[in-house]
Amino acid sequence: MPHLDDEIRQLAARRHLPDTHLDRWLSLDEPSRAALMEAAGLLRLRTGQLVVALDLLDEIAVRESVSIASVLARPSLHRLLSAPGSVPERAHAFLDELRAMRFPRLRETTARLEAAIAAMRLPAGIAVLLPRDLASDELTIQLVASDAGELNRLIDLLVEKRAELSRILSMIGGGDEV
Amino acid sequence: MKFELDTLVVEEASRDSALAARLVAALGSSVPVSYVADAREAVRPTPGPDPFGAGKRRMVVLKRHTPFLMACPAGSAKFACCGYLVLVLASNCPMDCSYCFLQEHVANNPAFQIYSNYADSFEELDRLSRSAPGRHFRVGTGELADSLAMDSVTGLSKDLIEFVRDREHLTLELKTKTDEIGNLLQTDPRGRVIVSWTLSPEAVWKSSEHRTASPSARIAAARAVLDAGYRVGFHLDPIIAYEGAEKDYAHLIDELLDVITPGRISFLSMGSLRMTPGLRSAARRRFPHDPMLLGEEVPGHDGRLRAFSALRVRLYRIIQQRLARAGRPVPAYLCMETSTVHERVFGVAPANPATIGERLALG
């Protein structure tokens, strides 16, 4: 489809898309080429966003043995193309949804852990921080206090939450709840 | 199992070696043989779409000028470690696993090299034994190459077994993904040789382990060498956390224990798939359609990509629980994991590498 391929090349030139990514885009089946062109246009994806989208879409397609067109047709992605709201916000949400599809169990585990942390209802002076991408089994607990009384109160509260914190640590380390 | 080669290159200095004579006799009628004064050029990448893959089909016989014996490259103070020593008798492998670290490790010299002066390594091994009287060492040839892939033509296993079987402080580990055990069945190891197989579920084998023997064939080969007087070990490494992996690895353990009772397994190691970003790029370039390279790996403290902590520890624990159910304990350890992960899986801190190494060597 020469007209579509010309449009893709023109967009790639405007965005200074690396040749490797342009070649990958052009090597897709026609519905996938067209669906990505539509998404790139409607969300006005910038160079970096296009590169990330292409990488993620390619990986999702290989992982699930599906075409990129079928990934982009999924309701959670498709509705972002024409949803209300600012274009940059929708572009950001689009990439976030692609990451969730690429790393489904990581996303689900993180959500469970965040829910468990939220359920502790900790005060503002205590932050429980998960390891980045759950790459390690280390939990970081941060206390922020400006006087001794406040510090003591936070420490006492932490001691009360010992069981919940241990449970979260166990979940990070592959405990049965995950 | 037969592997195809495009060419056999022999360095002049190795022309009269026993190894070159064996290889020329076995392969000379089917593969072009050439002799070169200096093999350095022959081991380098050749131009083309897949220099690493081409290197696998170009066997080069040459002398090794650096020590044969080295510490396992996976060893590190950061990780629990098994104290394994590597004997480098060859470099690269005729099989082609999509996740193989050699794609990065030997990218600049990808030819399938075999060292004609391998018998010089025996003096290094004797020196090692003399340096620590009373200690036992586990030494293996399967780190930078498969120990048995070309054994039917090189016959290296016979010489190695002949050497170690009278040395009570050495245990030789031959690590493989093949069922090339013909030479082993003709040799009495006198208890000094462990043959180990890397095992993966059928799904990983089909998707990623090209030109290797099937998991069932590997287990059958293990049973055969066990009956011939060898000890056997298994490496579940890499463990890949794909969708459905928990069930598949549990089935794999069941299949293994149906054929070999737990009391007769010398050890089982576990290690999750880990890739540097460079390896991942190289692997994805060569195997763009392999979903096993696209798990939920994230960068860790050492810069390598691994399945996120909860996912891989859970998989280790499932395998460990399956082993524990078997009745008799199977000695198991983790490769390239921290002490904390070791404790989460086994409930105890790991012993130091020398202790683990000796324990595995003694069986």
Side-chain angles (χ1 to χ4, degrees):
Chain A
M1 203 176 180
H3 181 62
L4 172 64
D5 289 355
D6 288 345
E7 278 183 31
I8 292 171
R9 282 195 187 89
Q10 284 163 17
L11 178 70
R14 284 199 304 276
R15 294 281 189 268
H16 303 288
L17 190 69
D19 286 346
T20 48
H21 285 76
L22 172 60
D23 291 345
R24 257 167 56 198
W25 192 349
L26 292 172
S27 71
L28 301 177
D29 59 83
E30 191 197 312
S32 297
R33 290 202 306 276
L36 183 56
M37 185 66 206
E38 183 194 19
L42 290 170
L43 298 173
R44 288 182 230 144
L45 296 178
R46 304 176 74 84
T47 312
Q49 290 173 320
L50 254 178
V51 165
V52 170
L54 255 167
D55 287 346
L56 289 169
L57 283 164
D58 177 40
E59 293 182 4
I60 294 164
V62 172
R63 272 172 61 86
E64 301 181 18
S65 297
V66 294
S67 72
I68 283 178
S70 74
V71 177
L72 288 169
R74 290 176 188 173
S76 62
L77 285 172
H78 201 70
R79 69 168 159 260
L80 288 169
L81 302 184
S82 52
S86 80
V87 173
E89 276 173 14
R90 284 190 286 128
H92 178 77
F94 176 79
L95 292 181
D96 206 42
E97 183 60 23
L98 283 179
R99 284 194 195 93
M101 288 176 182
R102 170 65 183 83
F103 294 93
R105 287 174 293 182
L106 177 60
R107 203 42 84 93
E108 191 188 326
T109 307
T110 305
R112 279 193 205 182
L113 285 161
E114 284 171 349
I117 292 170
M120 284 195 291
R121 297 182 181 280
L122 295 167
I126 303 177
V128 175
L129 307 172
L130 296 172
R132 186 184 167 85
D133 291 333
L134 304 186
S136 81
D137 49 11
E138 295 164 355
L139 192 65
T140 303
I141 298 171
Q142 190 175 288
L143 298 183
V144 180
S146 50
D147 60 59
E150 191 180 1
L151 181 64
N152 285 335
R153 189 178 61 81
L154 294 178
I155 290 172
D156 288 345
L157 202 69
L158 262 188
V159 171
E160 277 175 32
K161 300 287 182 185
R162 183 186 284 164
E164 288 105 309
L165 289 166
S166 296
R167 182 174 150 249
I168 290 167
L169 201 53
S170 163
M171 288 167 76
I172 296 173
D176 290 338
E177 286 181 77
V178 174
Chain B
M1 183 175 278
K2 292 279 174 280
F3 298 107
E4 286 183 6
L5 296 172
D6 291 340
T7 180
L8 173 63
V9 180
V10 182
E11 197 174 53
E12 283 293 352
S14 297
R15 183 192 275 262
D16 297 328
S17 66
L19 179 65
R22 266 180 256 160
L23 288 168
V24 171
L27 303 170
S29 60
S30 55
V31 171
V33 182
S34 58
Y35 295 88
V36 296
D38 184 343
R40 279 179 295 186
E41 197 55 43
V43 304
R44 290 193 186 121
T46 49
D50 182 16
F52 181 78
K56 286 175 171 289
R57 295 188 300 277
R58 187 170 68 256
M59 182 183 275
V60 179
V61 184
L62 72 170
K63 283 190 172 177
R64 184 170 176 89
H65 299 291
T66 51
F68 288 90
L69 200 55
M70 63 183 218
C72 173
S76 157
K78 291 179 196 159
F79 301 122
C81 172
C82 71
Y84 181 57
L85 293 171
V86 176
L87 196 64
V88 185
L89 303 185
S91 172
N92 214 338
C93 165
M95 293 169 280
D96 206 1
C97 298
S98 64
Y99 51 72
C100 181
F101 83 108
L102 294 176
Q103 293 171 101
E104 184 182 39
H105 197 76
V106 300
N108 294 326
N109 51 346
F112 182 11
Q113 302 167 61
I114 304 197
Y115 304 115
S116 60
N117 57 333
Y118 65 91
D120 294 350
S121 70
F122 299 163
E123 172 52 29
E124 284 181 41
L125 290 169
D126 277 340
R127 237 181 291 141
L128 174 74
S129 293
R130 286 197 299 269
S131 71
R135 267 191 65 187
H136 289 78
F137 296 97
R138 170 170 148 254
V139 181
T141 59
E143 193 64 21
L144 300 189
D146 185 282
S147 297
L148 298 176
M150 299 299 285
D151 198 55
S152 61
V153 287
T154 65
L156 287 184
S157 70
K158 288 181 181 174
D159 293 347
L160 281 166
I161 294 169
E162 180 84 18
F163 172 77
V164 298
R165 67 184 182 179
D166 295 326
R167 284 162 172 82
E168 60 182 39
H169 296 297
L170 288 180
T171 297
L172 173 68
E173 180 178 341
L174 299 170
K175 187 168 18 169
T176 188
K177 283 181 186 151
T178 72
D179 53 2
E180 287 282 333
I181 55 170
N183 284 334
L184 302 186
L185 298 181
Q186 295 166 20
T187 317
D188 175 9
R190 294 187 200 153
R192 302 248 58 82
V193 182
I194 300 173
V195 191
S196 65
W197 275 266
T198 301
L199 281 186
S200 300
E202 194 96 352
V204 175
W205 171 60
K206 283 185 176 156
S207 181
S208 308
E209 298 181 347
H210 308 287
R211 302 200 284 273
T212 64
S214 70
S216 299
R218 294 180 215 175
I219 292 171
R223 175 67 202 215
V225 300
L226 185 66
D227 292 342
Y230 291 82
R231 293 160 60 196
V232 295
F234 298 94
H235 300 277
L236 297 187
D237 192 349
I239 290 173
I240 301 183
Y242 57 94
E243 200 76 47
E246 295 180 1
K247 186 166 61 74
D248 288 356
Y249 278 96
H251 284 166
L252 180 67
I253 295 292
D254 288 348
E255 186 187 348
L256 172 63
L257 297 180
D258 281 346
V259 180
I260 300 176
T261 54
R264 303 192 73 189
I265 296 174
S266 288
F267 64 79
L268 185 141
S269 79
M270 294 186 274
S272 71
L273 177 65
R274 56 245 178 228
M275 292 183 283
T276 62
L279 171 58
R280 188 177 183 275
S281 298
R284 284 277 290 139
R285 211 167 30 245
R286 296 191 66 236
F287 300 97
H289 305 298
D290 185 357
M292 297 296 172
L293 298 172
L294 296 170
E296 296 188 51
E297 284 91 19
V298 296
H301 287 317
D302 63 352
R304 288 181 174 83
L305 298 149
R306 291 177 175 81
F308 64 95
S309 179
L311 189 59
R312 67 179 201 276
V313 173
R314 185 171 163 75
L315 207 39
Y316 289 146
R317 289 170 68 172
I318 284 169
I319 293 167
Q320 176 57 18
Q321 284 161 9
R322 204 73 170 196
L323 289 170
R325 263 180 24 190
R328 288 188 62 177
V330 175
Y333 64 93
L334 298 178
C335 186
M336 292 189 81
E337 289 287 4
T338 61
S339 300
T340 325
V341 171
H342 191 284
E343 276 192 66
R344 286 190 189 280
V345 176
F346 298 110
V348 292
N352 70 50
T355 308
I356 297 178
E358 280 207 50
R359 214 179 279 159
L360 296 174
L362 289 167

